[in-house]
Amino acid sequence: EAGVVQSPRYKIIEKKQPVAFWCNPISGHNTLYWYLQNLGQGPELLIRYENEEAVDDSQLPKDRFSAERLKGVDSTLKIQPAELGDSAVYLCASSSDRGYNEQFFGPGTRLTVL
Amino acid sequence: SQQGEEDPQALSIQEGENATMNCSYKTSINNLQWYRQNSGRGLVHLILIRSNEREKHSGRLRVTLDTSKKSSSLLITASRAADTASYFCATAQRVGQGAQKLVFGQGTRLTINP
């Protein structure tokens, strides 16, 4: 079974530029999460989807971040415009049971904003 | 903000020794999970212990949970070089619509010396 797929793995951009990250969850997993992980820290939830509905986006900085999960499968996280402080690893995870058990994580996208 | 506090932040031991990591949290939980993250990779689920359980084993892993003290420990016995990684505890908190979300600690960086 394929795991959670994320692309790109690495992205370097200049500040004020837009950037987008893509995630393909494990087949059949209805719940999808985007996390932000700063260096030396644990992941912090940005947004959680149940199918195509964003059910928890309270931690998403909505002035510059947006996300979508069309058709309840793949998801895209966008930052526009990027700031220096956005440099971090962006992790996508999925689960099959609304989060009652384990979450499966992708390898992450490491973003560097110059 | 992260709920879990992990101790120690870093641990270095010799191969073959046991490694113990501790996690404390603040609010009531449904379950507590431990994840491992190798350098530059995504998180991998190790073990889940529910709030009504006190101890759980999986291979060389032993997890305890004390809900009265709001704390958990992860013991890795007979450590191997491949156990070198960061270990995160994550508390599962109930959110709306019958789901739950994970709140991660800052992690313990474990180094196994050959």
Side-chain angles (χ1 to χ4, degrees), chain A residues 1-8 21-29 31-34 68-77 91-95 104-109:
Chain A
E1 179 181 270
V4 176
V5 180
Q6 289 188 249
S7 69
F21 314 123
W22 175 80
C23 173
N24 179 244
I26 292 174
S27 177
H29 282 192
T31 309
L32 183 146
Y33 314 79
W34 282 102
E68 61 182 12
R69 192 185 183 196
L70 300 177
K71 301 181 180 179
V73 181
D74 296 0
S75 178
T76 302
L77 177 69
L91 294 165
C92 179
S94 69
S95 67
F104 295 82
F105 283 80
T109 297

PDB file of all heavy atoms in Angstrom, chain A residues 1-8 21-29 31-34 68-77 91-95 104-109:
ATOM      1  N   GLU A   1       0.854  -1.203   0.000  1.00  0.00           N
ATOM      2  CA  GLU A   1       0.000   0.000   0.000  1.00  0.00           C
ATOM      3  C   GLU A   1       0.881   1.241   0.000  1.00  0.00           C
ATOM      4  O   GLU A   1       1.793   1.345   0.817  1.00  0.00           O
ATOM      5  CB  GLU A   1      -0.888  -0.003   1.242  1.00  0.00           C
ATOM      6  CG  GLU A   1      -1.794   1.210   1.348  1.00  0.00           C
ATOM      7  CD  GLU A   1      -2.640   1.179   2.615  1.00  0.00           C
ATOM      8  OE1 GLU A   1      -3.737   0.631   2.566  1.00  0.00           O
ATOM      9  OE2 GLU A   1      -2.200   1.690   3.639  1.00  0.00           O
ATOM     10  N   ALA A   2       0.600   2.172  -0.893  1.00  0.00           N
ATOM     11  CA  ALA A   2       1.381   3.393  -0.967  1.00  0.00           C
ATOM     12  C   ALA A   2       1.079   4.258   0.238  1.00  0.00           C
ATOM     13  O   ALA A   2      -0.039   4.302   0.739  1.00  0.00           O
ATOM     14  CB  ALA A   2       1.042   4.141  -2.252  1.00  0.00           C
ATOM     15  N   GLY A   3       2.105   4.980   0.693  1.00  0.00           N
ATOM     16  CA  GLY A   3       1.925   5.878   1.821  1.00  0.00           C
ATOM     17  C   GLY A   3       1.440   7.225   1.365  1.00  0.00           C
ATOM     18  O   GLY A   3       1.046   7.424   0.213  1.00  0.00           O
ATOM     19  N   VAL A   4       1.497   8.177   2.261  1.00  0.00           N
ATOM     20  CA  VAL A   4       1.122   9.555   1.945  1.00  0.00           C
ATOM     21  C   VAL A   4       2.217  10.160   1.070  1.00  0.00           C
ATOM     22  O   VAL A   4       3.401  10.083   1.417  1.00  0.00           O
ATOM     23  CB  VAL A   4       0.940  10.383   3.222  1.00  0.00           C
ATOM     24  CG1 VAL A   4       0.639  11.839   2.876  1.00  0.00           C
ATOM     25  CG2 VAL A   4      -0.159   9.781   4.088  1.00  0.00           C
ATOM     26  N   VAL A   5       1.809  10.741  -0.022  1.00  0.00           N
ATOM     27  CA  VAL A   5       2.758  11.315  -0.974  1.00  0.00           C
ATOM     28  C   VAL A   5       2.690  12.830  -0.916  1.00  0.00           C
ATOM     29  O   VAL A   5       1.594  13.408  -0.920  1.00  0.00           O
ATOM     30  CB  VAL A   5       2.466  10.838  -2.411  1.00  0.00           C
ATOM     31  CG1 VAL A   5       3.451  11.447  -3.396  1.00  0.00           C
ATOM     32  CG2 VAL A   5       2.523   9.313  -2.481  1.00  0.00           C
ATOM     33  N   GLN A   6       3.850  13.447  -0.853  1.00  0.00           N
ATOM     34  CA  GLN A   6       3.908  14.907  -0.855  1.00  0.00           C
ATOM     35  C   GLN A   6       4.901  15.378  -1.915  1.00  0.00           C
ATOM     36  O   GLN A   6       5.907  14.714  -2.175  1.00  0.00           O
ATOM     37  CB  GLN A   6       4.370  15.449   0.502  1.00  0.00           C
ATOM     38  CG  GLN A   6       3.347  15.296   1.608  1.00  0.00           C
ATOM     39  CD  GLN A   6       3.778  16.018   2.870  1.00  0.00           C
ATOM     40  OE1 GLN A   6       4.091  15.372   3.880  1.00  0.00           O
ATOM     41  NE2 GLN A   6       3.794  17.341   2.825  1.00  0.00           N
ATOM     42  N   SER A   7       4.598  16.510  -2.499  1.00  0.00           N
ATOM     43  CA  SER A   7       5.557  17.136  -3.413  1.00  0.00           C
ATOM     44  C   SER A   7       5.383  18.639  -3.379  1.00  0.00           C
ATOM     45  O   SER A   7       4.284  19.137  -3.088  1.00  0.00           O
ATOM     46  CB  SER A   7       5.359  16.608  -4.841  1.00  0.00           C
ATOM     47  OG  SER A   7       4.137  17.075  -5.376  1.00  0.00           O
ATOM     48  N   PRO A   8       6.463  19.395  -3.636  1.00  0.00           N
ATOM     49  CA  PRO A   8       7.814  18.889  -3.786  1.00  0.00           C
ATOM     50  C   PRO A   8       8.399  18.497  -2.432  1.00  0.00           C
ATOM     51  O   PRO A   8       7.788  18.762  -1.409  1.00  0.00           O
ATOM     52  CB  PRO A   8       8.549  20.075  -4.385  1.00  0.00           C
ATOM     53  CG  PRO A   8       7.867  21.259  -3.782  1.00  0.00           C
ATOM     54  CD  PRO A   8       6.412  20.877  -3.693  1.00  0.00           C
ATOM     55  N   PHE A  21       2.016  23.495  -1.954  1.00  0.00           N
ATOM     56  CA  PHE A  21       2.420  22.141  -1.613  1.00  0.00           C
ATOM     57  C   PHE A  21       1.254  21.204  -1.926  1.00  0.00           C
ATOM     58  O   PHE A  21       0.093  21.555  -1.693  1.00  0.00           O
ATOM     59  CB  PHE A  21       2.761  22.028  -0.120  1.00  0.00           C
ATOM     60  CG  PHE A  21       3.624  23.128   0.399  1.00  0.00           C
ATOM     61  CD1 PHE A  21       3.194  23.910   1.453  1.00  0.00           C
ATOM     62  CD2 PHE A  21       4.858  23.382  -0.155  1.00  0.00           C
ATOM     63  CE1 PHE A  21       3.985  24.931   1.953  1.00  0.00           C
ATOM     64  CE2 PHE A  21       5.653  24.401   0.326  1.00  0.00           C
ATOM     65  CZ  PHE A  21       5.224  25.185   1.374  1.00  0.00           C
ATOM     66  N   TRP A  22       1.600  20.004  -2.371  1.00  0.00           N
ATOM     67  CA  TRP A  22       0.576  19.045  -2.758  1.00  0.00           C
ATOM     68  C   TRP A  22       0.677  17.777  -1.924  1.00  0.00           C
ATOM     69  O   TRP A  22       1.785  17.353  -1.544  1.00  0.00           O
ATOM     70  CB  TRP A  22       0.739  18.714  -4.245  1.00  0.00           C
ATOM     71  CG  TRP A  22      -0.177  17.659  -4.748  1.00  0.00           C
ATOM     72  CD1 TRP A  22      -1.486  17.792  -5.112  1.00  0.00           C
ATOM     73  CD2 TRP A  22       0.145  16.283  -4.962  1.00  0.00           C
ATOM     74  NE1 TRP A  22      -2.000  16.599  -5.545  1.00  0.00           N
ATOM     75  CE2 TRP A  22      -1.018  15.654  -5.466  1.00  0.00           C
ATOM     76  CE3 TRP A  22       1.303  15.511  -4.784  1.00  0.00           C
ATOM     77  CZ2 TRP A  22      -1.059  14.307  -5.786  1.00  0.00           C
ATOM     78  CZ3 TRP A  22       1.267  14.175  -5.100  1.00  0.00           C
ATOM     79  CH2 TRP A  22       0.089  13.579  -5.591  1.00  0.00           C
ATOM     80  N   CYS A  23      -0.471  17.193  -1.607  1.00  0.00           N
ATOM     81  CA  CYS A  23      -0.511  15.974  -0.809  1.00  0.00           C
ATOM     82  C   CYS A  23      -1.529  15.003  -1.375  1.00  0.00           C
ATOM     83  O   CYS A  23      -2.662  15.388  -1.680  1.00  0.00           O
ATOM     84  CB  CYS A  23      -0.882  16.314   0.637  1.00  0.00           C
ATOM     85  SG  CYS A  23      -1.158  14.868   1.694  1.00  0.00           S
ATOM     86  N   ASN A  24      -1.125  13.753  -1.468  1.00  0.00           N
ATOM     87  CA  ASN A  24      -2.029  12.671  -1.852  1.00  0.00           C
ATOM     88  C   ASN A  24      -2.097  11.694  -0.695  1.00  0.00           C
ATOM     89  O   ASN A  24      -1.089  11.034  -0.385  1.00  0.00           O
ATOM     90  CB  ASN A  24      -1.533  11.978  -3.123  1.00  0.00           C
ATOM     91  CG  ASN A  24      -2.445  10.826  -3.533  1.00  0.00           C
ATOM     92  OD1 ASN A  24      -2.040   9.668  -3.544  1.00  0.00           O
ATOM     93  ND2 ASN A  24      -3.676  11.133  -3.857  1.00  0.00           N
ATOM     94  N   PRO A  25      -3.211  11.586  -0.012  1.00  0.00           N
ATOM     95  CA  PRO A  25      -3.290  10.731   1.175  1.00  0.00           C
ATOM     96  C   PRO A  25      -3.384   9.254   0.804  1.00  0.00           C
ATOM     97  O   PRO A  25      -3.489   8.896  -0.371  1.00  0.00           O
ATOM     98  CB  PRO A  25      -4.583  11.190   1.838  1.00  0.00           C
ATOM     99  CG  PRO A  25      -5.442  11.621   0.675  1.00  0.00           C
ATOM    100  CD  PRO A  25      -4.480  12.223  -0.310  1.00  0.00           C
ATOM    101  N   ILE A  26      -3.339   8.414   1.811  1.00  0.00           N
ATOM    102  CA  ILE A  26      -3.515   6.990   1.599  1.00  0.00           C
ATOM    103  C   ILE A  26      -4.937   6.737   1.098  1.00  0.00           C
ATOM    104  O   ILE A  26      -5.896   7.350   1.593  1.00  0.00           O
ATOM    105  CB  ILE A  26      -3.242   6.215   2.899  1.00  0.00           C
ATOM    106  CG1 ILE A  26      -1.746   6.307   3.239  1.00  0.00           C
ATOM    107  CG2 ILE A  26      -3.684   4.766   2.793  1.00  0.00           C
ATOM    108  CD1 ILE A  26      -1.373   5.704   4.578  1.00  0.00           C
ATOM    109  N   SER A  27      -5.057   5.861   0.120  1.00  0.00           N
ATOM    110  CA  SER A  27      -6.349   5.593  -0.480  1.00  0.00           C
ATOM    111  C   SER A  27      -7.370   5.153   0.564  1.00  0.00           C
ATOM    112  O   SER A  27      -7.104   4.275   1.390  1.00  0.00           O
ATOM    113  CB  SER A  27      -6.194   4.480  -1.530  1.00  0.00           C
ATOM    114  OG  SER A  27      -7.442   4.151  -2.094  1.00  0.00           O
ATOM    115  N   GLY A  28      -8.519   5.813   0.527  1.00  0.00           N
ATOM    116  CA  GLY A  28      -9.585   5.459   1.459  1.00  0.00           C
ATOM    117  C   GLY A  28      -9.580   6.256   2.749  1.00  0.00           C
ATOM    118  O   GLY A  28     -10.528   6.158   3.536  1.00  0.00           O
ATOM    119  N   HIS A  29      -8.533   7.026   2.992  1.00  0.00           N
ATOM    120  CA  HIS A  29      -8.475   7.840   4.214  1.00  0.00           C
ATOM    121  C   HIS A  29      -9.273   9.129   3.999  1.00  0.00           C
ATOM    122  O   HIS A  29      -8.932   9.965   3.169  1.00  0.00           O
ATOM    123  CB  HIS A  29      -7.027   8.181   4.568  1.00  0.00           C
ATOM    124  CG  HIS A  29      -6.312   7.053   5.219  1.00  0.00           C
ATOM    125  ND1 HIS A  29      -5.081   7.203   5.838  1.00  0.00           N
ATOM    126  CD2 HIS A  29      -6.648   5.753   5.366  1.00  0.00           C
ATOM    127  CE1 HIS A  29      -4.703   6.047   6.337  1.00  0.00           C
ATOM    128  NE2 HIS A  29      -5.631   5.143   6.055  1.00  0.00           N
ATOM    129  N   THR A  31      -9.838  11.498   6.362  1.00  0.00           N
ATOM    130  CA  THR A  31      -9.339  12.620   7.137  1.00  0.00           C
ATOM    131  C   THR A  31      -7.925  12.976   6.690  1.00  0.00           C
ATOM    132  O   THR A  31      -7.061  12.098   6.596  1.00  0.00           O
ATOM    133  CB  THR A  31      -9.337  12.305   8.642  1.00  0.00           C
ATOM    134  OG1 THR A  31     -10.632  11.820   9.017  1.00  0.00           O
ATOM    135  CG2 THR A  31      -9.028  13.555   9.457  1.00  0.00           C
ATOM    136  N   LEU A  32      -7.725  14.250   6.427  1.00  0.00           N
ATOM    137  CA  LEU A  32      -6.412  14.739   5.968  1.00  0.00           C
ATOM    138  C   LEU A  32      -6.005  15.928   6.815  1.00  0.00           C
ATOM    139  O   LEU A  32      -6.837  16.776   7.156  1.00  0.00           O
ATOM    140  CB  LEU A  32      -6.480  15.129   4.491  1.00  0.00           C
ATOM    141  CG  LEU A  32      -5.180  15.592   3.823  1.00  0.00           C
ATOM    142  CD1 LEU A  32      -5.147  15.150   2.360  1.00  0.00           C
ATOM    143  CD2 LEU A  32      -4.990  17.093   3.933  1.00  0.00           C
ATOM    144  N   TYR A  33      -4.727  15.973   7.162  1.00  0.00           N
ATOM    145  CA  TYR A  33      -4.192  17.028   8.027  1.00  0.00           C
ATOM    146  C   TYR A  33      -2.991  17.688   7.356  1.00  0.00           C
ATOM    147  O   TYR A  33      -2.191  17.015   6.705  1.00  0.00           O
ATOM    148  CB  TYR A  33      -3.698  16.445   9.352  1.00  0.00           C
ATOM    149  CG  TYR A  33      -4.616  15.462  10.040  1.00  0.00           C
ATOM    150  CD1 TYR A  33      -4.682  14.137   9.625  1.00  0.00           C
ATOM    151  CD2 TYR A  33      -5.391  15.847  11.135  1.00  0.00           C
ATOM    152  CE1 TYR A  33      -5.501  13.230  10.265  1.00  0.00           C
ATOM    153  CE2 TYR A  33      -6.208  14.934  11.787  1.00  0.00           C
ATOM    154  CZ  TYR A  33      -6.258  13.631  11.339  1.00  0.00           C
ATOM    155  OH  TYR A  33      -7.072  12.723  11.986  1.00  0.00           O
ATOM    156  N   TRP A  34      -2.867  18.978   7.586  1.00  0.00           N
ATOM    157  CA  TRP A  34      -1.639  19.698   7.269  1.00  0.00           C
ATOM    158  C   TRP A  34      -1.041  20.196   8.592  1.00  0.00           C
ATOM    159  O   TRP A  34      -1.743  20.810   9.411  1.00  0.00           O
ATOM    160  CB  TRP A  34      -1.898  20.900   6.364  1.00  0.00           C
ATOM    161  CG  TRP A  34      -2.111  20.558   4.914  1.00  0.00           C
ATOM    162  CD1 TRP A  34      -3.292  20.497   4.243  1.00  0.00           C
ATOM    163  CD2 TRP A  34      -1.093  20.259   3.947  1.00  0.00           C
ATOM    164  NE1 TRP A  34      -3.083  20.165   2.934  1.00  0.00           N
ATOM    165  CE2 TRP A  34      -1.738  20.023   2.712  1.00  0.00           C
ATOM    166  CE3 TRP A  34       0.303  20.163   3.992  1.00  0.00           C
ATOM    167  CZ2 TRP A  34      -1.052  19.694   1.548  1.00  0.00           C
ATOM    168  CZ3 TRP A  34       0.979  19.846   2.831  1.00  0.00           C
ATOM    169  CH2 TRP A  34       0.309  19.609   1.620  1.00  0.00           C
ATOM    170  N   GLU A  68      -7.081  23.662   0.058  1.00  0.00           N
ATOM    171  CA  GLU A  68      -8.266  23.084  -0.552  1.00  0.00           C
ATOM    172  C   GLU A  68      -8.094  21.584  -0.689  1.00  0.00           C
ATOM    173  O   GLU A  68      -6.975  21.072  -0.762  1.00  0.00           O
ATOM    174  CB  GLU A  68      -8.555  23.714  -1.908  1.00  0.00           C
ATOM    175  CG  GLU A  68      -7.475  23.531  -2.945  1.00  0.00           C
ATOM    176  CD  GLU A  68      -7.809  24.230  -4.262  1.00  0.00           C
ATOM    177  OE1 GLU A  68      -8.755  25.027  -4.307  1.00  0.00           O
ATOM    178  OE2 GLU A  68      -7.096  23.952  -5.250  1.00  0.00           O
ATOM    179  N   ARG A  69      -9.226  20.896  -0.709  1.00  0.00           N
ATOM    180  CA  ARG A  69      -9.218  19.457  -0.894  1.00  0.00           C
ATOM    181  C   ARG A  69     -10.410  19.119  -1.792  1.00  0.00           C
ATOM    182  O   ARG A  69     -11.448  18.662  -1.335  1.00  0.00           O
ATOM    183  CB  ARG A  69      -9.324  18.709   0.436  1.00  0.00           C
ATOM    184  CG  ARG A  69      -9.029  17.223   0.283  1.00  0.00           C
ATOM    185  CD  ARG A  69      -9.243  16.459   1.565  1.00  0.00           C
ATOM    186  NE  ARG A  69      -8.870  15.056   1.380  1.00  0.00           N
ATOM    187  CZ  ARG A  69      -9.227  14.076   2.212  1.00  0.00           C
ATOM    188  NH1 ARG A  69      -9.961  14.333   3.283  1.00  0.00           N
ATOM    189  NH2 ARG A  69      -8.848  12.846   1.977  1.00  0.00           N
ATOM    190  N   LEU A  70     -10.203  19.364  -3.043  1.00  0.00           N
ATOM    191  CA  LEU A  70     -11.255  19.131  -4.014  1.00  0.00           C
ATOM    192  C   LEU A  70     -11.514  17.636  -4.131  1.00  0.00           C
ATOM    193  O   LEU A  70     -10.587  16.832  -4.115  1.00  0.00           O
ATOM    194  CB  LEU A  70     -10.853  19.716  -5.368  1.00  0.00           C
ATOM    195  CG  LEU A  70     -10.592  21.238  -5.370  1.00  0.00           C
ATOM    196  CD1 LEU A  70     -10.123  21.689  -6.730  1.00  0.00           C
ATOM    197  CD2 LEU A  70     -11.846  21.974  -4.944  1.00  0.00           C
ATOM    198  N   LYS A  71     -12.773  17.269  -4.205  1.00  0.00           N
ATOM    199  CA  LYS A  71     -13.198  15.882  -4.385  1.00  0.00           C
ATOM    200  C   LYS A  71     -12.808  14.996  -3.196  1.00  0.00           C
ATOM    201  O   LYS A  71     -12.902  13.766  -3.288  1.00  0.00           O
ATOM    202  CB  LYS A  71     -12.653  15.285  -5.684  1.00  0.00           C
ATOM    203  CG  LYS A  71     -13.077  16.047  -6.934  1.00  0.00           C
ATOM    204  CD  LYS A  71     -12.549  15.411  -8.196  1.00  0.00           C
ATOM    205  CE  LYS A  71     -12.971  16.187  -9.431  1.00  0.00           C
ATOM    206  NZ  LYS A  71     -12.446  15.593 -10.684  1.00  0.00           N
ATOM    207  N   GLY A  72     -12.329  15.605  -2.114  1.00  0.00           N
ATOM    208  CA  GLY A  72     -12.065  14.845  -0.910  1.00  0.00           C
ATOM    209  C   GLY A  72     -10.912  13.879  -0.987  1.00  0.00           C
ATOM    210  O   GLY A  72     -10.849  12.929  -0.205  1.00  0.00           O
ATOM    211  N   VAL A  73      -9.976  14.113  -1.926  1.00  0.00           N
ATOM    212  CA  VAL A  73      -8.823  13.211  -2.028  1.00  0.00           C
ATOM    213  C   VAL A  73      -7.544  14.031  -1.862  1.00  0.00           C
ATOM    214  O   VAL A  73      -7.116  14.306  -0.744  1.00  0.00           O
ATOM    215  CB  VAL A  73      -8.830  12.439  -3.357  1.00  0.00           C
ATOM    216  CG1 VAL A  73      -7.638  11.495  -3.443  1.00  0.00           C
ATOM    217  CG2 VAL A  73     -10.129  11.660  -3.508  1.00  0.00           C
ATOM    218  N   ASP A  74      -6.948  14.482  -2.976  1.00  0.00           N
ATOM    219  CA  ASP A  74      -5.726  15.281  -2.911  1.00  0.00           C
ATOM    220  C   ASP A  74      -6.000  16.625  -2.255  1.00  0.00           C
ATOM    221  O   ASP A  74      -7.131  17.134  -2.274  1.00  0.00           O
ATOM    222  CB  ASP A  74      -5.183  15.527  -4.320  1.00  0.00           C
ATOM    223  CG  ASP A  74      -4.751  14.246  -5.000  1.00  0.00           C
ATOM    224  OD1 ASP A  74      -4.887  13.175  -4.371  1.00  0.00           O
ATOM    225  OD2 ASP A  74      -4.286  14.305  -6.143  1.00  0.00           O
ATOM    226  N   SER A  75      -4.924  17.202  -1.716  1.00  0.00           N
ATOM    227  CA  SER A  75      -5.050  18.517  -1.091  1.00  0.00           C
ATOM    228  C   SER A  75      -3.870  19.383  -1.487  1.00  0.00           C
ATOM    229  O   SER A  75      -2.777  18.893  -1.752  1.00  0.00           O
ATOM    230  CB  SER A  75      -5.115  18.381   0.425  1.00  0.00           C
ATOM    231  OG  SER A  75      -5.185  19.653   1.052  1.00  0.00           O
ATOM    232  N   THR A  76      -4.123  20.680  -1.511  1.00  0.00           N
ATOM    233  CA  THR A  76      -3.074  21.659  -1.800  1.00  0.00           C
ATOM    234  C   THR A  76      -3.077  22.711  -0.707  1.00  0.00           C
ATOM    235  O   THR A  76      -4.141  23.204  -0.314  1.00  0.00           O
ATOM    236  CB  THR A  76      -3.307  22.337  -3.157  1.00  0.00           C
ATOM    237  OG1 THR A  76      -3.360  21.349  -4.183  1.00  0.00           O
ATOM    238  CG2 THR A  76      -2.186  23.321  -3.466  1.00  0.00           C
ATOM    239  N   LEU A  77      -1.904  23.051  -0.233  1.00  0.00           N
ATOM    240  CA  LEU A  77      -1.707  24.123   0.744  1.00  0.00           C
ATOM    241  C   LEU A  77      -0.911  25.227   0.051  1.00  0.00           C
ATOM    242  O   LEU A  77       0.114  24.950  -0.559  1.00  0.00           O
ATOM    243  CB  LEU A  77      -0.948  23.617   1.971  1.00  0.00           C
ATOM    244  CG  LEU A  77      -0.613  24.634   3.055  1.00  0.00           C
ATOM    245  CD1 LEU A  77      -1.889  25.091   3.758  1.00  0.00           C
ATOM    246  CD2 LEU A  77       0.365  24.039   4.075  1.00  0.00           C
ATOM    247  N   LEU A  91       4.075  19.202   6.784  1.00  0.00           N
ATOM    248  CA  LEU A  91       3.759  17.771   6.778  1.00  0.00           C
ATOM    249  C   LEU A  91       2.288  17.562   6.472  1.00  0.00           C
ATOM    250  O   LEU A  91       1.429  18.290   6.971  1.00  0.00           O
ATOM    251  CB  LEU A  91       4.063  17.164   8.146  1.00  0.00           C
ATOM    252  CG  LEU A  91       5.530  17.134   8.584  1.00  0.00           C
ATOM    253  CD1 LEU A  91       5.633  16.847  10.074  1.00  0.00           C
ATOM    254  CD2 LEU A  91       6.293  16.085   7.801  1.00  0.00           C
ATOM    255  N   CYS A  92       2.023  16.551   5.695  1.00  0.00           N
ATOM    256  CA  CYS A  92       0.660  16.120   5.437  1.00  0.00           C
ATOM    257  C   CYS A  92       0.473  14.748   6.080  1.00  0.00           C
ATOM    258  O   CYS A  92       1.391  13.914   6.082  1.00  0.00           O
ATOM    259  CB  CYS A  92       0.404  16.036   3.938  1.00  0.00           C
ATOM    260  SG  CYS A  92      -1.254  15.485   3.488  1.00  0.00           S
ATOM    261  N   ALA A  93      -0.687  14.515   6.648  1.00  0.00           N
ATOM    262  CA  ALA A  93      -0.994  13.222   7.257  1.00  0.00           C
ATOM    263  C   ALA A  93      -2.426  12.843   6.918  1.00  0.00           C
ATOM    264  O   ALA A  93      -3.249  13.704   6.573  1.00  0.00           O
ATOM    265  CB  ALA A  93      -0.803  13.276   8.774  1.00  0.00           C
ATOM    266  N   SER A  94      -2.720  11.561   7.021  1.00  0.00           N
ATOM    267  CA  SER A  94      -4.088  11.117   6.800  1.00  0.00           C
ATOM    268  C   SER A  94      -4.437  10.009   7.779  1.00  0.00           C
ATOM    269  O   SER A  94      -3.555   9.355   8.349  1.00  0.00           O
ATOM    270  CB  SER A  94      -4.288  10.639   5.353  1.00  0.00           C
ATOM    271  OG  SER A  94      -3.584   9.434   5.093  1.00  0.00           O
ATOM    272  N   SER A  95      -5.727   9.840   7.985  1.00  0.00           N
ATOM    273  CA  SER A  95      -6.203   8.762   8.855  1.00  0.00           C
ATOM    274  C   SER A  95      -7.551   8.292   8.363  1.00  0.00           C
ATOM    275  O   SER A  95      -8.247   8.997   7.622  1.00  0.00           O
ATOM    276  CB  SER A  95      -6.278   9.213  10.316  1.00  0.00           C
ATOM    277  OG  SER A  95      -7.281  10.194  10.487  1.00  0.00           O
ATOM    278  N   PHE A 104      -1.009   8.734   9.581  1.00  0.00           N
ATOM    279  CA  PHE A 104       0.079   8.335   8.693  1.00  0.00           C
ATOM    280  C   PHE A 104       0.629   9.601   8.038  1.00  0.00           C
ATOM    281  O   PHE A 104      -0.129  10.351   7.411  1.00  0.00           O
ATOM    282  CB  PHE A 104      -0.427   7.357   7.628  1.00  0.00           C
ATOM    283  CG  PHE A 104      -0.904   6.052   8.204  1.00  0.00           C
ATOM    284  CD1 PHE A 104      -2.179   5.935   8.739  1.00  0.00           C
ATOM    285  CD2 PHE A 104      -0.071   4.948   8.236  1.00  0.00           C
ATOM    286  CE1 PHE A 104      -2.628   4.736   9.282  1.00  0.00           C
ATOM    287  CE2 PHE A 104      -0.509   3.741   8.767  1.00  0.00           C
ATOM    288  CZ  PHE A 104      -1.788   3.647   9.298  1.00  0.00           C
ATOM    289  N   PHE A 105       1.906   9.812   8.180  1.00  0.00           N
ATOM    290  CA  PHE A 105       2.529  11.046   7.725  1.00  0.00           C
ATOM    291  C   PHE A 105       3.288  10.852   6.417  1.00  0.00           C
ATOM    292  O   PHE A 105       3.904   9.803   6.181  1.00  0.00           O
ATOM    293  CB  PHE A 105       3.512  11.574   8.776  1.00  0.00           C
ATOM    294  CG  PHE A 105       2.844  12.247   9.933  1.00  0.00           C
ATOM    295  CD1 PHE A 105       2.291  11.499  10.961  1.00  0.00           C
ATOM    296  CD2 PHE A 105       2.751  13.632   9.993  1.00  0.00           C
ATOM    297  CE1 PHE A 105       1.658  12.113  12.033  1.00  0.00           C
ATOM    298  CE2 PHE A 105       2.133  14.263  11.060  1.00  0.00           C
ATOM    299  CZ  PHE A 105       1.586  13.503  12.071  1.00  0.00           C
ATOM    300  N   GLY A 106       3.271  11.893   5.606  1.00  0.00           N
ATOM    301  CA  GLY A 106       4.126  11.943   4.440  1.00  0.00           C
ATOM    302  C   GLY A 106       5.515  12.424   4.836  1.00  0.00           C
ATOM    303  O   GLY A 106       5.757  12.775   5.994  1.00  0.00           O
ATOM    304  N   PRO A 107       6.443  12.460   3.880  1.00  0.00           N
ATOM    305  CA  PRO A 107       7.831  12.844   4.175  1.00  0.00           C
ATOM    306  C   PRO A 107       8.009  14.338   4.405  1.00  0.00           C
ATOM    307  O   PRO A 107       9.044  14.758   4.938  1.00  0.00           O
ATOM    308  CB  PRO A 107       8.587  12.405   2.923  1.00  0.00           C
ATOM    309  CG  PRO A 107       7.563  12.472   1.842  1.00  0.00           C
ATOM    310  CD  PRO A 107       6.268  12.058   2.478  1.00  0.00           C
ATOM    311  N   GLY A 108       7.015  15.126   4.031  1.00  0.00           N
ATOM    312  CA  GLY A 108       7.099  16.560   4.265  1.00  0.00           C
ATOM    313  C   GLY A 108       7.717  17.339   3.111  1.00  0.00           C
ATOM    314  O   GLY A 108       8.406  16.773   2.255  1.00  0.00           O
ATOM    315  N   THR A 109       7.438  18.629   3.091  1.00  0.00           N
ATOM    316  CA  THR A 109       8.082  19.568   2.171  1.00  0.00           C
ATOM    317  C   THR A 109       8.863  20.565   2.994  1.00  0.00           C
ATOM    318  O   THR A 109       8.291  21.241   3.847  1.00  0.00           O
ATOM    319  CB  THR A 109       7.044  20.315   1.304  1.00  0.00           C
ATOM    320  OG1 THR A 109       6.344  19.392   0.482  1.00  0.00           O
ATOM    321  CG2 THR A 109       7.744  21.351   0.432  1.00  0.00           C
TER     322      THR A 109
END
